[in-house]
Every structure is written in structure tokens, then in C-alpha cells.
Amino acid sequence: AKKWINIRKSYGNFYKVPSNQTKLTIMLENLGMNYDGRPHSGLDDSKNIARIAIRMLQDGCELRVNERMHAGQLMTVSSSAPLEGAPAPYMPRYRN
């Protein structure tokens, strides 16, 4: 992968929280969610990150590529860069 969405950066920017509030368990807690699965399990971490991304989309966030690799260097992508690829899928809002 040469381009990706760093969910921690997106979360911090969207909800206007400092970087010390973007650890996985803290993000879930702040969104009123519990961690599902075993901590530090790659699969369970991925599922929980997906749950955060879905919630962010439901809250109106437009997730964008915000990091990339160029010539072996990690680079931040400007938030004003145009969206890439297909538009985000329609995410219906569900009431709890």
C-alpha cells in the first residue's frame, strides 16, 4: 500500500481532539463503544477500527487518504487534496 487513511489522524481532526486521545481504546470509549475481542489481535483491532470508521462516516466525516509513501519516506497528504476513487458508500443512520 502506498496510500492509506490513518484513522487516528482523521479521528483527531474530525472530533478536534489531541493526539493523546487517539489511541484505539480511547477512541472507542469516547464514542460510547466497548472494545470487541482480544487486545492486540490484528483481526480484532481491524474490526474495531472499522467500527470507528463507520461511526465517523455516520457522523458526517469524509474519510480521505491522509498518508502515503514516496521514495521510502512517510508523507502526510494535505486535507485539501481532492478525494480519490469512488465516493464513500451510503451509510444509513441507525438508532440504538
Side-chain angles (χ1 to χ4, degrees):
K2 293 187 180 191
K3 299 177 195 173
W4 60 90
I5 297 169
N6 180 329
I7 202 74
R8 291 178 65 184
K9 282 185 179 181
S10 296
Y11 177 95
N13 290 333
F14 184 70
Y15 293 112
K16 308 289 189 247
V17 298
S19 61
N20 67 349
Q21 293 291 308
T22 61
K23 291 184 172 60
L24 182 55
T25 54
I26 294 172
M27 291 188 292
L28 288 164
E29 183 180 305
N30 289 342
L31 294 173
M33 300 177 189
N34 293 319
Y35 186 93
D36 288 344
R38 293 178 300 124
H40 308 296
S41 160
L43 181 58
D44 291 338
D45 284 352
S46 297
K47 289 178 180 179
N48 284 290
I49 291 167
R51 291 173 54 223
I52 292 168
I54 290 168
R55 174 64 176 276
M56 290 175 66
L57 290 169
Q58 290 172 337
D59 287 349
C61 180
E62 289 186 26
L63 294 173
R64 298 172 180 248
V65 169
N66 57 14
E67 287 187 347
R68 68 185 178 102
M69 287 297 283
H70 180 70
Q73 298 286 346
L74 175 64
M75 304 184 78
T76 296
V77 176
S78 168
S79 61
S80 61
L83 289 172
E84 297 187 35
Y90 171 71
M91 300 298 295
R93 289 182 174 243
Y94 295 102
R95 295 184 181 211
N96 295 341

